[in-house]
Amino acid sequence: TAQNTIHYYESVLDKMGPEQGDWMRLFMLPGMGHCRGGPGLNGFESTHAIEQWVEQGVTPKQLEGRGANGLTRPLCPYPQSAEYSGSGDVKDGKNWSCKGEAPKGKR
């Protein structure tokens, strides 16, 4: 379950300290099934973000999630989550932003 992944992530922070955001990030995909599909987001592109992080030292601030019928959303580094701006198409990720506490570490 998604909760097991969160538990693992938090156990690493408990063991190593909260300042791990420069090498470890968790991005949740709300509504996605085990590997794909589901009523919400069901895909994302991470390869470019990982290459930039490893090769250029550019830590990903967010990823873009995609779903059926043109649905897009920002995928926020846990514990942040996407919040709707209150106006515009709810299926358009441009109308959402990451809110909450950002992961600690180099940014």
Side-chain angles (χ1 to χ4, degrees), residues 30 73-76 80-84 96-99:
R73 279 284 184 296
L75 299 176
C76 308
Q80 291 184 326
S81 60
E83 185 176 295
Y84 178 58
W96 295 73
S97 60
C98 293
K99 300 290 183 181

Side-chain angles (χ1 to χ4, degrees), residues 26-42:
L26 171 60
F27 292 88
M28 303 299 289
L29 278 84
M32 184 172 162
H34 183 262
C35 292
R36 244 182 131 61
L41 302 172
N42 59 28

